Amino acid sequence: MPEETEFDAILRQKGILPALTAEQVEAVVDDAVREKYAPKKLEDRSLDELDELEDIEDDRVLESYRRKRLAELRAQSLRATHGGGVVVEIGRADYARETAATAPDAVILHLFQPHLPACRNLDAHLVRAARRYPASRFLRIKADRAAENYPDKNCPTLLV
């Protein structure tokens, strides 16, 4: 079907041209929408349009790189300031200072006894978790140093 012009619409309104059928109206609307929103093939674009597409793609790639790099730098900074990525063993004197220090995510404290297999197992899992979540602070303290006469049967204990 030939393209419907504004002049054709005026002639139809005056009754000079016959009214369009529903199928013809739908075809005209589909063609107009397709022309406006369907992407052109690269071969059909002008040099200015190709240059604009290249600029848009460059901006998108640079923005993606910038976001990734900022995330890397943030993680690196958190590791440096919070000892992220490692489980730090603390003593009774360090307990208040280390747990009160502000960390963006959380402070995880493991009360352990080195001779218990369950404590060693949990400690291995915490080492992996510390590497995975560098923004959180992972601490461990011998249970009897944290609280006098802390029973071994309560170990391992994990405080978040």
Side-chain angles (χ1 to χ4, degrees), residues 39-77:
K40 286 183 179 177
K41 293 180 182 176
L42 290 178
E43 299 85 30
D44 298 337
R45 293 183 183 261
S46 69
L47 287 177
D48 289 338
E49 289 174 324
L50 289 172
D51 199 28
E52 185 178 327
L53 279 176
E54 186 178 3
D55 290 345
I56 291 170
E57 183 66 16
D58 287 348
D59 291 345
R60 189 180 63 77
V61 168
L62 287 173
E63 180 63 26
S64 170
Y65 176 75
R66 186 178 81 69
R67 271 190 249 114
K68 286 178 187 174
R69 185 65 181 136
L70 282 173
E72 288 172 5
L73 290 172
R74 245 184 246 115
Q76 192 176 37
S77 171

Side-chain angles (χ1 to χ4, degrees), residues 113-126:
Q113 286 296 349
H115 62 275
L116 296 174
C119 291
R120 288 193 301 267
N121 188 17
L122 180 61
D123 205 39
H125 288 288
L126 289 176

Side-chain angles (χ1 to χ4, degrees), residues 103-146:
D105 286 350
V107 176
I108 292 89
L109 179 66
H110 175 210
L111 300 177
F112 76 103
Q113 286 296 349
H115 62 275
L116 296 174
C119 291
R120 288 193 301 267
N121 188 17
L122 180 61
D123 205 39
H125 288 288
L126 289 176
V127 168
R128 283 198 304 272
R131 276 189 246 125
R132 188 170 180 184
Y133 303 102
S136 297
R137 185 178 297 228
F138 288 83
L139 306 171
R140 64 184 231 160
I141 185 170
K142 283 179 101 176
D144 54 357
R145 283 191 205 154

